[in-house]
Amino acid sequence: MVCMEIFREKPVTQREMTQFHSDEHVEFLSRITPSNMNSYITEQHEYNIGDDYPVFDGLFDYCSISAERSMGNSVSRGIISQRSCVLQRVLHVLVETCDIAVNWAGGLHHAKKSEASSFCYVNDIVLNILESFRYHTRVLYIDIDVHHGDGAEEAFADRVMTVSFHNMASIFQELANCGT
């Protein structure tokens, strides 16, 4: 019988985000709000926050929660690892009772070290890969998306094998035309 367990993680802290992202970028995300954003015009340009990457109430919480969902996910045998502070989930990986973990809201693979990119404020994939290196010497990152995961690949150009399936416009067009 196949069963599914749902795990809820703790939001990622500023310190955990700075394992990849610059201190200044993370600090900026924690400070900016719609009510004070006019005081941070220069920083918005520096960190690529604004027009395409809106400032909204709870922005930092959003970043923290979206990153924790991926850092908490686990896939055994070295594909994706998990946060060491969540003992119960680490045990699932160590005894291999969990074969696959999915974060359907994750994959914010465009964010760069010091800036938002393509609607990604924080790169949960990079944070997860960094965590994986605590348990595994090799990591395979499989990126299935309409767009290339440039932020994640740039972060690990020489350390992680990346297999990227992207820009499949013809397939999506065929799916859109189904039934018409």
Side-chain angles (χ1 to χ4, degrees), residues 14-139:
Q14 282 184 253
R15 183 174 170 264
E16 289 171 312
M17 285 184 202
T18 60
Q19 291 175 21
F20 169 64
H21 293 285
S22 70
D23 293 343
E24 298 80 13
H25 176 69
V26 173
E27 177 63 29
F28 173 73
L29 291 172
S30 73
R31 280 192 327 248
I32 193 162
T33 66
S35 61
N36 70 11
M37 64 188 278
N38 290 333
S39 302
Y40 293 107
I41 300 299
T42 302
E43 291 88 347
Q44 287 182 62
H45 291 290
E46 181 179 346
Y47 301 115
N48 202 22
I49 303 292
D51 298 327
D52 288 337
Y53 314 99
V55 175
F56 55 89
D57 285 325
L59 173 60
F60 184 78
D61 291 337
Y62 164 78
C63 293
S64 181
I65 290 167
S66 64
E68 62 88 1
R69 288 185 185 132
S70 288
M71 286 184 75
N73 281 337
S74 61
V75 175
S76 64
R77 296 175 196 90
I79 299 173
I80 299 177
S81 187
Q82 89 161 50
R83 289 172 71 181
S84 60
C85 64
V86 185
L87 180 59
Q88 179 185 10
R89 306 243 355 253
V90 171
L91 291 174
H92 281 285
V93 171
L94 293 177
V95 298
E96 296 188 4
T97 60
C98 180
D99 290 324
I100 298 172
V102 176
N103 174 9
W104 294 112
L108 304 174
H109 57 185
H110 295 293
K112 309 292 194 295
K113 184 172 185 69
S114 295
E115 69 177 87
S117 181
S118 296
F119 306 103
C120 303
Y121 298 90
V122 174
N123 197 318
D124 62 322
I125 299 298
V126 170
L127 295 173
N128 198 32
I129 290 171
L130 287 170
E131 187 68 17
S132 295
F133 278 128
R134 295 180 62 189
Y135 301 94
H136 307 287
T137 56
R138 297 181 301 171
V139 174

Side-chain angles (χ1 to χ4, degrees), residues 6-10 68-69 86 89:
I6 298 174
F7 292 95
R8 303 217 186 273
E9 298 293 333
K10 296 177 185 173
E68 62 88 1
R69 288 185 185 132
V86 185
R89 306 243 355 253

